[in-house]
């Protein structure tokens, strides 16, 4: 099972949703980097389940334990090994349905690929719970980037039919990114908070779930980061983005809206501002030719609705090869978008750190 990423900064994730622990080993971090553990804990808390009625009631603090690579507050350059223990586990909810493949989950594809030996409880290694170690690595990456004047931030761009404002791709600043973090929900437009809460709670009340989108940006990033073709910044971000369960689409800048426009309308024309080359617009999302051009890097990802819902769904029994009806019990998110925001920040930071 593939659990590795990166050439310069190598990540190796491990664990299952209902196993003893999940974790990550990070190689390639330079020695002598001071780690603010409190900042990492804040990011872990943003992803953790059970914080309110908008998420699953599984109670996991996502408390991490650093086993190696960290001494007296600084990195040592040896492999940085971290575990996060699983505590609030109710595996019996899954033993009842172990032969009934859940629609839109990795149950069937995982069963086929691993000859039935995969851990099905809570989705096993396919679970979104495995993003917790990614958040740890991303929180570390963000601290390293901040020392270089690069900042990462994201917000809920959409939940269901409710849409937030979009980032100002030209004039985005750190104050805007910081302001999102102190809100009940990470949104730009405060008037949308109650609307999005209603959208999520209505889905829960109906035994359903709802999807959405997240917009992420990196600011303070110099031109020249990335490569043409296979190691473009877009390629690396997309690689990591699609490693996050539930991400089903990505676009940079105008994204798919480029398809309906003429170049004369959407080309980013250049000018000089305060002695630096800038563009009047930022329709390309800060990346051209696979390489940063000094403008804010802006991209969006689409998050599918949580596939575990309490409504009856058609499925098959992989043991008896009979069709059947499945009604999923247990604790599930009516929407995971608000919890995935920090995960998308993490993969964006890791992608830039890899190319730096």
């Amino acid at each position: 099972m593939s659990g590795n990423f990166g050439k310069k900064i190598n990540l190796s994730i491990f664990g299952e949703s209902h196993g003893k622990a999940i974790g990550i080993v990070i190689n390639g971090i330079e020695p002598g980097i001071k780690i603010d553990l409190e900042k990492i804990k804040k990011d872990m808390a943003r992803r953790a389940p059970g914080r309110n009625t908008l998420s699953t009631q599984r109670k996991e603090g996502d408390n991490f334990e650093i086993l190696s690579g960290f001494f007296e507050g600084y990195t040592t350059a040896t492999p940085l090994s971290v575990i996060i223990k699983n505590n609030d586990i109710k595996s019996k909810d899954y033993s009842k349905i172990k032969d009934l493949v859940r629609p839109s989950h990795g149950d069937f594809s995982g069963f086929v690929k691993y000859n039935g030996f995969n851990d099905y409880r809570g989705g096993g290694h396919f679970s979104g719970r495995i993003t917790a170690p990614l958040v740890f690595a991303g929180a570390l990456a963000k601290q390293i980037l901040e020392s270089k004047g690069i900042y990462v931030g994201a917000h809920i761009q959409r939940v269901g039919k409710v849409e937030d404002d979009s980032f100002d791709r030209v004039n985005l600043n750190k104050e805007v990114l910081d302001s999102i973090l102190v809100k009940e929900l990470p949104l730009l437009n405060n008037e949308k908070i109650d609307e999005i809460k209603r959208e999520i709670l209505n889905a829960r009340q109906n035994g359903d779930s709802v999807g959405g989108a997240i917009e992420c940006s990196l600011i303070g990033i110099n031109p020249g980061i990335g490569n043409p073709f296979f190691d473009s910044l877009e390629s690396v971000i997309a690689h990591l983005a699609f490693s996050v369960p539930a991400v089903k689409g990505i676009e940079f800048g105008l994204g798919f809206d480029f398809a309906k426009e003429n170049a004369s309308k959407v080309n980013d024309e250049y000018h000089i501002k305060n002695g630096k080359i800038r563009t009047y617009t930022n329709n390309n999302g800060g990346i051209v030719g696979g390489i940063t051009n000094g403008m804010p890097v802006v991209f969006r990802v689409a998050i599918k609705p949580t596939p575990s819902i309490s409504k009856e769904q058609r499925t098959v029994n992989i043991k008896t090869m009979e069709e059947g009806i499945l009604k999923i019990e247990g604790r599930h998110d009516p929407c995971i978008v608000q919890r995935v925001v920090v995960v998308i920040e993490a993969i964006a930071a890791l992608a830039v750190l890899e190319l730096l």
Side-chain angles (χ1 to χ4, degrees), residues 173-229:
N173 56 54
K174 185 175 180 295
E175 287 70 29
V176 172
L177 300 184
D178 288 342
S179 70
I180 299 170
L181 295 175
V182 299
K183 298 183 180 182
E184 182 181 8
L185 285 175
L187 293 161
L188 296 174
N189 187 341
N190 292 335
E191 295 179 2
K192 300 291 183 177
I193 291 177
D194 287 339
E195 289 184 56
I196 283 183
K197 287 172 68 175
R198 283 195 296 270
E199 193 85 356
I200 296 172
L201 294 174
N202 285 341
R204 163 165 276 172
Q205 186 175 0
N206 294 327
D208 214 331
S209 66
V210 63
I214 294 165
E215 185 176 47
C216 184
S217 180
L218 296 112
I219 61 172
I221 191 164
N222 289 329
I225 297 172
N227 305 283
F229 296 100

Side-chain angles (χ1 to χ4, degrees), residues 5-291:
F5 168 84
K7 300 171 184 175
K8 297 177 182 177
I9 305 295
N10 180 259
L11 311 176
S12 179
I13 56 172
F14 60 87
E16 290 82 29
S17 178
H18 284 221
K20 291 184 178 181
I22 55 179
I24 190 166
V25 178
I26 309 170
N27 276 287
I29 300 295
E30 295 178 354
I33 294 175
K34 186 173 178 60
I35 301 179
D36 186 334
L37 296 181
E38 291 305 312
K39 278 189 175 182
I40 294 180
K41 288 176 183 178
K42 287 180 181 179
D43 268 8
M44 300 297 287
R46 291 169 63 200
R47 196 220 70 93
R51 291 188 297 155
N52 52 47
T53 58
L54 302 180
S55 72
T56 173
Q57 294 310 293
R58 177 175 177 175
K59 301 289 185 180
E60 295 285 1
D62 282 0
N63 299 313
F64 58 86
E65 181 181 356
I66 301 177
L67 303 180
S68 65
F70 179 69
F71 183 64
E72 296 184 340
Y74 294 86
T75 57
T76 65
T78 56
L80 186 61
S81 179
V82 181
I83 63 168
I84 302 163
K85 293 181 180 178
N86 294 324
N87 297 309
D88 188 15
I89 298 170
K90 293 185 178 180
S91 299
K92 65 180 182 179
D93 292 337
Y94 296 92
S95 61
K96 301 173 185 177
I97 59 170
K98 69 182 183 70
D99 296 323
L100 295 172
V101 292
R102 297 170 298 168
S104 289
H105 274 281
D107 296 351
F108 174 64
S109 53
F111 178 86
V112 173
K113 184 168 182 65
Y114 302 113
N115 300 319
F117 289 100
N118 56 301
D119 185 343
Y120 58 82
R121 301 169 302 168
H125 192 69
F126 295 89
S127 171
R129 173 132 184 82
I130 314 301
T131 61
L134 278 180
V135 171
F136 177 93
L140 172 59
K142 284 196 280 188
Q143 290 187 36
I144 297 172
L145 294 183
E146 286 175 9
S147 71
K148 302 176 185 296
I150 300 172
Y151 298 91
V152 185
H155 71 105
I156 297 171
Q157 193 275 323
R158 167 188 291 275
V159 168
K161 297 180 177 63
V162 183
E163 190 170 0
D164 189 23
D165 297 342
S166 296
F167 280 140
D168 181 340
R169 291 192 297 266
V170 176
N171 300 306
L172 184 60
N173 56 54
K174 185 175 180 295
E175 287 70 29
V176 172
L177 300 184
D178 288 342
S179 70
I180 299 170
L181 295 175
V182 299
K183 298 183 180 182
E184 182 181 8
L185 285 175
L187 293 161
L188 296 174
N189 187 341
N190 292 335
E191 295 179 2
K192 300 291 183 177
I193 291 177
D194 287 339
E195 289 184 56
I196 283 183
K197 287 172 68 175
R198 283 195 296 270
E199 193 85 356
I200 296 172
L201 294 174
N202 285 341
R204 163 165 276 172
Q205 186 175 0
N206 294 327
D208 214 331
S209 66
V210 63
I214 294 165
E215 185 176 47
C216 184
S217 180
L218 296 112
I219 61 172
I221 191 164
N222 289 329
I225 297 172
N227 305 283
F229 296 100
F230 303 122
D231 287 324
S232 71
L233 181 54
E234 290 148 315
S235 301
V236 179
I237 289 176
H239 183 166
L240 283 165
F242 284 118
S243 301
V244 177
V247 170
K248 302 302 290 184
I250 189 167
E251 60 179 357
F252 292 83
L254 280 184
F256 283 91
D257 284 342
F258 273 117
K260 58 188 181 184
E261 296 291 354
N262 297 114
S264 58
K265 300 290 185 182
V266 296
N267 278 354
D268 294 321
E269 298 178 317
Y270 291 99
H271 69 116
I272 295 176
K273 183 177 181 180
N274 299 326
K276 293 184 178 180
I277 297 176
R278 307 283 287 175
T279 57
Y280 288 104
T281 55
N282 189 16
N283 295 324
N284 285 283
I287 307 172
V288 284
I291 303 168

